[in-house]
Amino acid sequence: MNGTQTQIVRAALTVFAEHTVAATPVPVIAREAGVAAGTLYRYWPSKEALANAVYQDAKKSFTSYLTRGASAPEKAEAVLTAYRLMWANLVAFADEHPEALAFLEHQQHASYLDAASQAAAREAEAPAVDLIRAGQRLGVVRRADPQLLINLTFGAFVGLTKAARAAGGLSPADWQQASDAIWSMLTPQESKEAS
Amino acid sequence: MNGTQTQIVRAALTVFAEHTVAATPVPVIAREAGVAAGTLYRYWPSKEALANAVYQDAKKSFTSYLTRGASAPEKAEAVLTAYRLMWANLVAFADEHPEALAFLEHQQHASYLDAASQAAAREAEAPAVDLIRAGQRLGVVRRADPQLLINLTFGAFVGLTKAARAAGGLSPADWQQASDAIWSMLTPQESKEAS
Amino acid sequence: MNGTQTQIVRAALTVFAEHTVAATPVPVIAREAGVAAGTLYRYWPSKEALANAVYQDAKKSFTSYLTRGASAPEKAEAVLTAYRLMWANLVAFADEHPEALAFLEHQQHASYLDAASQAAAREAEAPAVDLIRAGQRLGVVRRADPQLLINLTFGAFVGLTKAARAAGGLSPADWQQASDAIWSMLTPQESKEAS
Amino acid sequence: MNGTQTQIVRAALTVFAEHTVAATPVPVIAREAGVAAGTLYRYWPSKEALANAVYQDAKKSFTSYLTRGASAPEKAEAVLTAYRLMWANLVAFADEHPEALAFLEHQQHASYLDAASQAAAREAEAPAVDLIRAGQRLGVVRRADPQLLINLTFGAFVGLTKAARAAGGLSPADWQQASDAIWSMLTPQESKEAS
DNA sequence: TATGAATGAGTTTTCATTCAT
DNA sequence: GATGAATGAAAACTCATTCAT
C-alpha cells in the first residue's frame, strides 16, 4: 500500500465512520483524502472494494493492538494479568483509533463484506478466545461457550465506547470500574448467589 | 397510525434491519409493504422521516417490553428478581422482534435521527437506570455511574444477540448463563479479587 | 356551470395567477376551492381542460367589461368619449379582477390553449379593433394597422398593471395620465415633429 | 461561465421561452444542449437556479443592447435622437434575441427569481429611466412618474413583439410607426385636446 | 499517474388521475 | 355526487464510474 492508498484508506475510514458506507459519496472520500475521485479507481475497482480494504485495515489494526505483549497464561494468577493487559490494549485502541472502532461496530453484518474481510473479523477474536479458553482450563473463567463470553465482553466494551463518545470520553476511573465489572462477569459464580 | 401506515412501518423495519436505511431504495420498502412507492409520501415527507417513525416505533416497543410487570424493588432480594424479570423481557423482545433489535443497534448515531427519536432513545433506558439506582441504594448493585452500567449491560446483551443471529439462535441454557454472567458484572465485587 | 364548478374555476384562477398552470398541483386548486381533488374530474377531464375553462371565463369577463355601454361612434368627437369609456372599463376590470388580468397576461402563447380559448382571445380584441377602425375613418386615430395599435395599447395597459401590482395600486391621477398618454399615442401626429 | 455552461444556458433559454420553466423537464434542456441531464447539476443546484442564471443572462444582454451608444442628452433636440437610438437598440434586440425577449416577458413575477435576478431586472430599466428624466428636465417629455412612463413604453413594446411573433415579423414601416406612436405618448400634450 | 468533467443508470420525490367507498 | 387514499408514470436529482487530457 503506497502513500496515496494509505491516504485514501485513512480518509475513507474517517468519513465512513461518521456516516455510512452507503451514505458516503466517493467524491467526499476523495476530497477528504486530497485526491481526485478518479484516483480511487486506480487502486480499487469499486467503492465496495475500498470499503473492504478499510474494514480489513481496521480489523488488523485492532488485532495487532489486542495481541500486544500477550502470551498464553500458564498459571491461574496470570489469567487476570493477561486480561488486564488485553483490556489496556482495548482501551488504547479506543483512545487512539476511535473512528476505526466506530466504523467496525457498524459493519457487523454489512452485506458487501468479502471473504477476506470475514476472515479478518474471525482472526480478530482469536486472541480473546484463546485467553478465555486458558482461563477456563485454569478454573478462573466461568464455564460457558467461549464465543458467548467473547460476545458479552466485546459487546459490553462497545457499549462503553458508545457512552464514551456520547459523554466526550471517560475518566481512567470509569475505565477501571468497567474493567473490574467485566472481569466479574467472566469469573465463575461463587456461592454468593443461587442461580 | 392507520392500516397502511402500520404496514409500511413494519415493512420498512424489516428491510432496514436487513440492509441499512441509506442502502434501501424506497421501492423496496414499498414492495415489501405491498403498496406503491408514492403512497409512502402521503404519510411521511421523506425516507428519512419514515426511518425516524420506524425508529420511534421500535424504541417504544422495546420500552414497553422492558417495563412489563416491573415495579421498584424495596428490598435487597427483590432487586435480583426485578433484574431477572427485565432480562426475561429483554430476551422475549429479542425473540419476538429480532428485526427491531437489529435495526435499533445500527441507528445509534445515525445522523438523521430527529429530536423525537432521540427522546425515545433516552426514555428506553429509564427503567433500567431506575433499577440500577434502586439496586445501588439497597447495596446489591456495584457503585458506579448507572449510565456506565447500563451501557455495559445493554452492550453485552447486544453482543449476545449478534452471536444469536450468527448461530441461528441461542439455547435457554445460554441465555441463562448470560443472565448470570451479567448479574455478576452488576453486583459489588467481593473480596475475591484485589482490583 | 353550477355552484361547484364556479367555485373551482374561481379557485383555479386565483392559484394559477399566483403561480402558473404547470406549477400548480391539482390538490392545491381543490383545497382553495374547498372540494376534494377527485371532484374536479367530474367536471373536466384534465387539469388542462380546467385551465382552458378558466381562460375562457376570464377572457369573456374581460370582453364583457370592455363592451359595457359601448356604441359605435359616428362623429369625430364621440371617438374620444368612446375611448375614455373603454379605458374606464379596462381600469374597472383591473381593479375588480386583478387575478384574472394577471392570469391572462401569462397565457398568451400557452401551448395547451384549445380552439375555443383562442376564439375567446380573438373576440376580446374585437371591440377595441372596431373603435380603432371607426376612429381612423373619422380621422381622429392614427393611420396604422389597427392590430398594431391594439397591441401597443393593450401592451401599455398591461405594463401599467404590472407597475400597479408592484406599487400596490395606482392613484386615479396616475390612471388618468396613462389614459391621456395612450390617447396621444393613438391620435395622428400633427406637424409637431418631423418623423 | 465555461463552454458547457454557456451551451446549457443558451439551450435552456430556447426551451424555457417556448414553454415555461415549470413545464420544461430537465432532460429536454439537456437534450437541447447536447449534454446528459446530470451535467446540469454540476453547475447549478436545481432547475430553478439554472432558470435564474438564464434570466440574469438575458436581462444583462438586454441591458447591454439598450445602452449601446447611449449618452445623456443635453439639449432638447437630442432627446428624440436618444430615444430613436434606444428604440433601434430595442428592435435590434427583438430581432436578434427573440427567445430572450419571449422568456423575459413571462418571468415578470416568477416566484423563483432570486435577489440577483431582481437586481438585474431593476438595472435593465435604469437607462430608460435616465432618458425619461432628462427629457422631462428639458421639457420634451410629458410630466408624469418616470416609472409609469417606462411601464407604458416597455409594455407597448412587448405588446408589439407579441404581434410580431404572431404575424411572423413586422415590416420596417410598422416598427417606424410604432416608434412614432410611442414617442407621441411620451411627449407633452399640447393644446390639441382638453383632457 | 492523476485529474475532474461528463455520463447515465438509479434514486428520491411529485402529482395527475383513478376508483372504492 | 363527492371523497380522498392509492397509484404509477414522470419528474428532479444523485452519484459510482469512465475516460480524454
Side-chain angles (χ1 to χ4, degrees):
Chain A
M1 215 164 64
N2 66 30
T4 306
Q5 286 175 75
T6 307
Q7 242 173 299
I8 294 172
V9 167
R10 269 211 261 272
L13 175 63
T14 304
V15 292
F16 287 166
E18 195 157 356
H19 304 92
T20 336
V21 173
T24 308
V26 169
V28 169
I29 310 170
R31 194 176 319 124
E32 179 82 19
V35 300
T39 301
L40 226 133
Y41 289 86
R42 186 159 294 284
Y43 300 106
W44 295 277
S46 68
K47 189 171 79 161
E48 290 208 351
L50 169 59
N52 273 284
V54 171
Y55 184 85
Q56 289 160 39
D57 191 62
K59 270 289 180 202
K60 277 173 190 157
S61 169
F62 180 80
T63 306
S64 83
Y65 267 75
L66 221 59
T67 52
R68 270 194 206 159
S71 60
E74 309 212 330
K75 289 195 297 182
E77 301 80 56
V79 176
L80 176 53
T81 312
Y83 164 77
R84 282 187 176 145
L85 174 61
M86 194 171 275
W87 180 262
N89 287 334
L90 225 38
V91 171
F93 186 77
D95 184 46
E96 292 160 29
H97 301 290
E99 350 68 44
L101 206 53
F103 171 70
L104 289 173
E105 276 170 42
H106 284 264
Q107 308 312 314
Q108 294 308 117
H109 71 303
S111 42
Y112 61 79
L113 291 181
D114 60 22
S117 294
Q118 278 158 21
R122 256 172 278 116
E123 209 177 319
E125 293 191 340
V129 172
D130 290 346
L131 179 55
I132 295 282
R133 287 232 166 84
Q136 288 177 330
R137 229 177 298 116
L138 296 166
V140 295
V141 166
R142 174 188 297 266
R143 302 232 151 264
D145 175 12
Q147 189 60 49
L148 185 124
L149 293 177
I150 289 301
N151 279 293
L152 285 173
T153 303
F154 280 170
F157 175 71
V158 162
L160 205 58
T161 62
K162 270 174 197 163
R165 257 199 303 283
L170 294 185
S171 69
D174 285 336
W175 286 113
Q176 180 57 44
Q177 280 189 307
S179 171
D180 291 350
I182 291 178
W183 179 248
S184 296
M185 177 170 74
L186 293 174
T187 49
Q189 313 167 246
E190 276 148 71
S191 57
K192 71 179 172 184
E193 60 164 297
S195 153
Chain B
M1 217 164 61
N2 65 30
T4 306
Q5 286 174 79
T6 307
Q7 247 171 288
I8 294 173
V9 167
R10 271 211 260 272
L13 175 63
T14 304
V15 294
F16 286 167
E18 196 156 353
H19 304 93
T20 335
V21 173
T24 309
V26 169
V28 170
I29 310 169
R31 193 173 323 121
E32 178 81 20
V35 300
T39 301
L40 226 134
Y41 291 87
R42 275 198 79 69
Y43 299 106
W44 297 277
S46 67
K47 192 172 76 161
E48 290 207 350
L50 169 59
N52 273 284
V54 172
Y55 184 86
Q56 288 160 41
D57 191 61
K59 270 288 179 201
K60 275 171 192 160
S61 169
F62 180 82
T63 306
S64 83
Y65 267 74
L66 221 60
T67 52
R68 270 195 206 158
S71 61
E74 310 213 329
K75 290 194 297 183
E77 302 81 57
V79 176
L80 177 54
T81 312
Y83 165 76
R84 284 187 174 143
L85 174 60
M86 194 171 276
W87 180 263
N89 286 336
L90 225 39
V91 171
F93 186 77
D95 184 46
E96 292 161 28
H97 301 290
E99 351 66 47
L101 205 53
F103 171 71
L104 288 174
E105 276 170 41
H106 282 263
Q107 311 310 315
Q108 296 305 115
H109 73 304
S111 42
Y112 59 77
L113 291 181
D114 62 23
S117 293
Q118 278 157 21
R122 254 171 279 118
E123 210 176 319
E125 295 191 339
V129 172
D130 291 346
L131 179 55
I132 295 281
R133 288 232 167 84
Q136 289 177 330
R137 231 178 297 115
L138 296 166
V140 293
V141 166
R142 174 187 297 268
R143 303 233 151 264
D145 176 13
Q147 190 60 50
L148 185 124
L149 294 176
I150 289 302
N151 279 291
L152 285 173
T153 303
F154 280 171
F157 174 72
V158 163
L160 205 58
T161 62
K162 271 176 197 163
R165 257 200 303 284
L170 293 185
S171 68
D174 285 337
W175 285 114
Q176 180 58 45
Q177 279 189 308
S179 171
D180 290 350
I182 293 178
W183 179 249
S184 296
M185 177 170 73
L186 293 175
T187 50
Q189 313 166 244
E190 275 149 71
S191 56
K192 71 179 171 183
E193 64 164 293
S195 148
Chain C
M1 216 164 65
N2 67 29
T4 306
Q5 286 174 78
T6 308
Q7 243 172 300
I8 294 172
V9 168
R10 269 210 262 272
L13 174 63
T14 304
V15 293
F16 286 167
E18 195 157 355
H19 304 94
T20 336
V21 174
T24 308
V26 169
V28 169
I29 310 169
R31 193 176 321 123
E32 178 82 21
V35 300
T39 301
L40 225 134
Y41 289 85
R42 186 158 294 284
Y43 300 107
W44 296 277
S46 68
K47 189 171 79 161
E48 290 207 350
L50 169 59
N52 273 285
V54 172
Y55 184 85
Q56 288 159 39
D57 191 62
K59 270 289 180 202
K60 278 174 190 157
S61 169
F62 179 82
T63 307
S64 83
Y65 267 74
L66 221 59
T67 52
R68 269 194 208 159
S71 61
E74 310 212 330
K75 290 194 297 183
E77 301 81 57
V79 177
L80 177 54
T81 312
Y83 165 77
R84 283 189 175 143
L85 174 60
M86 194 171 276
W87 179 262
N89 287 334
L90 226 37
V91 171
F93 185 76
D95 184 46
E96 291 160 30
H97 302 290
E99 349 69 47
L101 206 52
F103 171 71
L104 288 174
E105 275 170 43
H106 284 264
Q107 309 311 315
Q108 294 307 116
H109 72 304
S111 43
Y112 61 79
L113 291 181
D114 61 23
S117 294
Q118 278 158 21
R122 254 171 280 118
E123 209 177 319
E125 294 190 340
V129 172
D130 291 347
L131 179 55
I132 294 281
R133 288 231 167 83
Q136 288 178 328
R137 230 177 299 117
L138 297 165
V140 293
V141 166
R142 174 188 297 266
R143 303 232 151 263
D145 175 13
Q147 189 60 49
L148 185 123
L149 293 176
I150 290 301
N151 278 291
L152 285 173
T153 303
F154 280 171
F157 175 70
V158 163
L160 206 58
T161 63
K162 270 175 198 163
R165 258 200 302 283
L170 294 185
S171 69
D174 284 336
W175 286 113
Q176 180 57 45
Q177 279 190 306
S179 171
D180 291 349
I182 292 177
W183 179 247
S184 295
M185 177 170 74
L186 293 174
T187 49
Q189 314 166 245
E190 276 148 70
S191 58
K192 70 180 173 183
E193 62 165 294
S195 153
Chain D
M1 217 165 60
N2 65 31
T4 306
Q5 286 174 78
T6 307
Q7 247 171 289
I8 294 172
V9 168
R10 270 211 261 271
L13 175 62
T14 304
V15 292
F16 286 166
E18 196 157 354
H19 305 92
T20 336
V21 173
T24 308
V26 169
V28 170
I29 310 169
R31 193 174 322 122
E32 179 81 20
V35 300
T39 300
L40 225 135
Y41 291 90
R42 275 196 77 70
Y43 299 107
W44 296 277
S46 67
K47 190 171 77 161
E48 289 207 350
L50 169 59
N52 273 284
V54 171
Y55 184 85
Q56 287 160 40
D57 192 60
K59 270 289 180 201
K60 276 171 192 160
S61 169
F62 179 81
T63 306
S64 82
Y65 267 74
L66 222 59
T67 51
R68 271 195 205 158
S71 62
E74 308 212 329
K75 290 194 298 186
E77 302 81 57
V79 176
L80 176 55
T81 312
Y83 164 77
R84 283 186 175 146
L85 174 61
M86 194 170 274
W87 180 263
N89 287 334
L90 225 38
V91 171
F93 186 77
D95 184 45
E96 292 161 29
H97 301 290
E99 350 66 43
L101 205 53
F103 171 72
L104 288 174
E105 276 169 41
H106 282 264
Q107 311 310 315
Q108 296 305 118
H109 73 304
S111 42
Y112 59 78
L113 291 182
D114 62 23
S117 293
Q118 277 158 20
R122 254 172 279 119
E123 209 176 318
E125 295 191 339
V129 172
D130 290 346
L131 178 54
I132 295 281
R133 287 231 168 84
Q136 289 177 330
R137 230 177 297 116
L138 296 165
V140 294
V141 166
R142 174 188 297 268
R143 303 233 151 264
D145 176 13
Q147 190 60 50
L148 185 125
L149 294 176
I150 290 300
N151 280 292
L152 286 173
T153 303
F154 280 171
F157 175 72
V158 163
L160 206 58
T161 63
K162 270 176 198 163
R165 257 199 303 284
L170 293 185
S171 68
D174 285 336
W175 285 113
Q176 180 58 42
Q177 280 190 307
S179 171
D180 291 348
I182 293 178
W183 179 249
S184 295
M185 178 171 72
L186 293 174
T187 49
Q189 314 166 245
E190 275 150 72
S191 58
K192 72 178 172 185
E193 62 163 296
S195 153

